[in-house]
Amino acid sequence: MKDEATRSLKREQWHDLARKLDWGFSYVDAKDVFPEAMSGTPWLSHQDWADWDEPYRTSYTEYVSSQVAKEASVNAVREAIGRPEDFARLERPWLSALKLHSATLPLAEFAAAIGNLRAARFGRDSAWRTTAAFGAMDEFRHTQIPLLLMHGLLPWDPQFDWTHKFFHSENWVAVAGRHLADELLLCANPIEFAVGTNFVFETGFTNLQFIGLSSLARNTGDRMFENMVNSIQTDEARHAQIGKPVLATLVKHDPEYAQYLVDKWFWRSWHFFAVVTGFAMDYLTPVRDRTASFKEFMQEWVLGQFQASLEEMGLKRPWYWDTFLASLDNYHHMVYASAYTYRATVWFDMVVPGPEERAWLREKYPDSWPEFEPIWDRISERWKEVGPEVEWHTHGATPVGFCALCQMVLCEGAPGNNHARVIRRGTDAHIFCSEPCQWLFEKEPDRYEGHKDVVKRILAGEAPANLLQLLRHFGLSPGDWGRDAHRGHYPWAKREAG
Amino acid sequence: MPWCKAEGMGDLWEGEMRSCKVEGNPVLLLKQAGRVHAYADRCAHQAVPMSEGRFRDGVLTCRAHEYAYDAATGAGINPGNVRLRAYATKSEAGEIWVDTTRAP
């Protein structure tokens, strides 16, 4: 009779029975099983977490069958259109967008697997732990798919080597990427991980990639990239949902800390996406294939929903919201212009926006773009002066300044009004790109002040000052360092005969 | 004037779904068990058009994050705490009419 009853359980009844498998401890203390240092602050009784709920339910059987189908689909697409000749048809700037994503994505996903596994052990409710275990398996998959797909392109283009190499290098972008990923994915306790990764990064921002960029990939004809990100995206709803119930409990017991974590990770995530997605959408996607600007995608897919989520949680917008809105008009343009003039320090090629692109940018960013025009005028003029193939005439030679918090070049503000600022702590000076970066540093100085940015490494003799030697230190060689994507062969740069 | 004709939808097949605009609103129409159902063409999760997803075995699945809904009612299957906005429909003279101001 009992067997009969079990067999006839509906799917949702089985889930409700199986997902909550917590029990009381008799000969150890719960604090020993879930130490605060590992499980996170505030340490609450299990009763406070007992209502933890993940509305999107999955059993292991469902997980496996669904993932097998997805793998088959990715493999079928790879067989059909994953050969180098398929990629050779794509525009060169778009290939750079692909290289930028391929480098920054897979090993960050691997680090996220570790963050999920920590939650799978030290999360305070059994349903949370199970969902995090699925999340870890998702992230392994998100590591392996791009590694596999891009490996096939390596003999064709050595810059794809950075898919695996990036996070293992001392490249300045990798230093910034590790500074973010180490703290958010490798070191954060399950509570901070859930707020920073699951709520802010995944629920807040990744639609920018998975919906916005995926649609641009389709427009450019890169069906492999589109398929890859769509396949990855379908996993997100399951593990991203960890964020809300954790944040809801945190808001109930320590709203000030909840607000701090949201403010912290929104700003840090913003800088990451501004570069990785901002470059791709506003510069590296061919202008005919663009459907919206990076700012418009942010407004459609991030700002509205993120603000609604904060309101639902009883939280406020981050205190620096006005600074962020100004940054939305400027930051990625500032970093792109800076990186273009130091393109040999990265592993992908970059492109000068020509008259058509600049008209598009002027229309999309009417308030900020006019300040960028003189920069690109000057760069364009220098290409015209020397003609194609002479990369160094439009390239910087001395190291630039980096932010002591985000580790990116000092690019907050606008071309005529850089927001860089310096503070002193003891005998040390620390420079920041923005007020929010300074605020984050001063909130947890012990966490951050031991880290040396690239300039401090040079001054300490840990990295070379000479640019060519620095490129080698960054892991680059003439075979894979970044160049102008068209080698200066622009129709608008042709000198008139005679 | 709440009832509006869903232009070009009169030939909707059994087991088929299609999107159209009704009074400027994106509407998903589908036919199941001989009956036409209309929903706002946006997933309750993150507003991705449901018409880009799958309609199979009476289940509508969003292409973005695999939110699944009962195609006959719009009720969430996974997760169970969401639902699609359903609109009233009627068929007249081989055409489908939708009222986006009323539930079925």
Side-chain angles (χ1 to χ4, degrees):
Chain A
M1 188 69 189
K2 191 177 173 189
D3 283 352
E4 188 61 35
T6 306
R7 267 201 300 276
S8 63
L9 281 179
K10 287 184 178 167
R11 177 183 176 280
E12 57 271 23
Q13 290 172 320
W14 181 86
H15 273 298
D16 285 341
L17 193 68
R19 54 190 278 282
K20 290 286 186 181
L21 290 171
D22 286 294
W23 61 89
F25 302 104
S26 55
Y27 57 90
V28 285
D29 191 88
K31 266 200 159 180
D32 295 327
V33 183
F34 299 106
E36 186 168 353
M38 296 303 288
S39 289
T41 301
W43 200 94
L44 306 170
S45 74
H46 179 256
Q47 197 53 40
D48 293 316
W49 293 105
D51 291 336
W52 196 97
D53 183 39
E54 84 291 18
Y56 190 95
R57 304 273 160 83
T58 311
S59 71
Y60 186 66
T61 310
E62 288 168 344
Y63 182 88
V64 171
S65 59
S66 154
Q67 301 303 75
V68 163
K70 288 187 206 168
E71 300 298 285
S73 167
V74 171
N75 266 322
V77 174
R78 177 177 170 241
E79 290 292 320
I81 53 169
R83 292 181 301 275
E85 54 268 34
D86 298 310
F87 287 85
R89 292 192 199 103
L90 301 172
E91 298 267 356
R92 294 173 73 115
W94 175 259
L95 288 172
S96 291
L98 190 56
K99 290 164 188 171
L100 174 55
H101 279 81
S102 301
T104 47
L105 173 71
L107 294 203
E109 299 276 11
F110 184 69
I114 293 169
N116 271 294
L117 287 172
R118 184 174 290 112
R121 164 62 183 85
F122 292 104
R124 293 295 309 285
D125 179 79
S126 60
W128 175 2
R129 293 193 291 274
T130 303
T131 311
F134 286 132
M137 290 190 286
D138 290 337
E139 306 295 16
F140 284 133
R141 181 172 177 269
H142 304 172
T143 308
Q144 290 167 339
I145 290 174
L147 285 178
L148 173 72
L149 296 179
M150 302 307 148
H151 185 72
L153 303 180
L154 190 49
W156 174 60
D157 186 336
Q159 288 182 328
F160 281 106
D161 195 22
W162 284 76
T163 306
H164 190 267
K165 176 178 174 175
F166 172 73
F167 273 109
H168 296 297
S169 79
E170 294 301 332
N171 187 278
W172 66 273
V173 189
V175 170
R178 277 201 302 272
H179 194 278
L180 172 72
D182 283 2
E183 183 182 0
L184 175 61
L185 307 173
L186 293 179
C187 301
N189 63 56
I191 291 176
E192 184 160 1
F193 181 84
V195 176
T197 306
N198 302 131
F199 181 75
V200 176
F201 200 92
E202 291 176 339
T203 308
F205 277 96
T206 51
N207 268 343
L208 203 57
Q209 302 285 101
F210 294 141
I211 294 175
L213 201 64
S214 144
S215 70
L216 296 184
R218 182 170 60 238
N219 295 350
T220 64
D222 189 354
R223 303 309 294 261
M224 187 72 253
F225 184 78
E226 181 200 0
N227 187 272
M228 179 182 87
V229 294
N230 283 345
S231 184
I232 287 174
Q233 175 185 236
T234 54
D235 293 336
E236 294 291 313
R238 181 176 43 253
H239 63 255
Q241 65 177 335
I242 294 171
K244 273 194 177 177
V246 173
L247 185 57
T249 305
L250 193 57
V251 168
K252 191 172 165 191
H253 293 275
D254 193 345
E256 199 178 324
Y257 183 52
Q259 184 75 51
Y260 167 65
L261 290 182
V262 168
D263 292 1
K264 173 183 181 179
W265 289 113
F266 185 81
W267 184 255
R268 301 216 60 189
S269 304
W270 155 241
H271 271 192
F272 175 84
F273 283 99
V275 172
V276 174
T277 320
F279 281 20
M281 288 182 167
D282 282 355
Y283 291 94
L284 302 175
T285 300
V287 71
R288 65 164 188 273
D289 297 325
R290 297 177 198 168
T291 49
S293 68
F294 172 60
K295 180 183 175 183
E296 288 166 337
F297 274 118
M298 279 289 295
Q299 286 168 329
E300 181 170 0
W301 291 105
V302 177
L303 301 197
Q305 293 188 29
F306 183 70
Q307 289 181 90
S309 296
L310 290 181
E311 208 169 298
E312 183 191 332
M313 290 284 161
L315 293 169
K316 298 189 287 272
R317 292 188 306 208
W319 62 267
Y320 49 73
W321 198 251
D322 290 343
T323 304
F324 160 69
L325 292 179
S327 185
L328 198 53
D329 267 321
N330 287 285
Y331 182 65
H332 67 298
H333 297 311
M334 293 276 280
V335 182
Y336 187 85
S338 178
Y340 179 83
T341 51
Y342 283 89
R343 58 195 175 277
T345 67
V346 295
W347 63 97
F348 54 93
D349 299 337
M350 301 182 75
V351 65
V352 176
E356 199 186 346
E357 286 87 358
R358 284 165 63 172
W360 185 88
L361 287 160
R362 203 175 306 125
E363 184 199 325
K364 298 294 183 185
Y365 297 90
D367 296 334
S368 60
W369 185 255
E371 271 208 74
F372 292 92
E373 291 280 14
I375 297 171
W376 293 108
D377 281 343
R378 183 75 188 116
I379 291 169
S380 304
E381 283 306 314
R382 288 182 75 87
W383 272 115
K384 287 178 191 170
E385 280 166 24
V386 294
E389 308 289 343
V390 188
E391 296 275 344
W392 296 104
H393 200 54
T394 50
H395 203 283
T398 51
V400 297
F402 294 88
C403 175
L405 191 280
C406 71
Q407 307 296 313
M408 292 297 292
V409 282
L410 299 163
C411 281
E412 274 291 353
N417 178 25
N418 194 299
H419 287 180
R421 52 190 48 229
V422 178
I423 61 162
R424 292 202 167 273
R425 274 180 56 84
T427 55
D428 293 331
H430 302 283
I431 188 163
F432 302 97
C433 67
S434 60
E435 190 184 4
C437 277
Q438 177 187 338
W439 173 75
L440 289 172
F441 184 96
E442 290 180 318
K443 278 285 201 183
E444 298 179 80
D446 293 344
R447 179 185 282 271
Y448 299 118
E449 69 183 345
H451 186 277
K452 291 191 188 116
D453 63 47
V454 172
V455 170
K456 282 190 172 164
R457 292 176 193 199
I458 291 171
L459 294 173
E462 295 168 12
N466 172 285
L467 183 63
L468 280 173
Q469 290 173 344
L470 190 60
L471 295 181
R472 277 197 286 276
H473 176 78
F474 283 166
L476 292 153
S477 69
D480 60 354
W481 67 39
R483 290 178 165 80
D484 183 277
H486 300 296
R487 310 297 187 257
H489 290 277
Y490 293 100
W492 48 260
K494 278 189 184 143
R495 283 176 292 183
E496 287 171 18
Chain B
M1 188 70 183
W3 285 107
C4 293
K5 187 157 72 172
E7 295 291 346
M9 291 288 145
D11 60 347
L12 195 67
W13 282 21
E14 176 71 23
E16 187 185 16
M17 70 168 172
R18 271 194 254 158
S19 69
C20 62
K21 285 272 173 76
V22 176
E23 291 283 277
N25 301 310
V27 171
L28 175 76
L29 287 177
L30 61 87
K31 196 171 196 176
Q32 177 167 274
R35 199 172 153 207
V36 174
H37 302 271
Y39 300 103
D41 191 11
R42 45 183 287 144
C43 180
H45 182 218
Q46 294 193 328
V48 172
M50 290 303 298
S51 53
E52 294 176 9
R54 294 191 302 273
F55 171 33
R56 204 173 291 159
D57 301 328
V59 177
L60 270 172
T61 307
C62 178
R63 66 117 174 136
H65 299 104
E66 302 199 323
Y67 266 42
Y69 302 89
D70 183 335
T73 64
I77 296 171
N78 194 20
N81 61 348
V82 293
R83 104 175 359 257
L84 296 174
R85 174 177 293 192
Y87 298 134
T89 62
K90 64 178 181 181
S91 296
E92 276 180 13
E95 298 287 355
I96 297 170
W97 296 73
V98 179
D99 183 349
T100 56
T101 64
R102 265 199 319 140

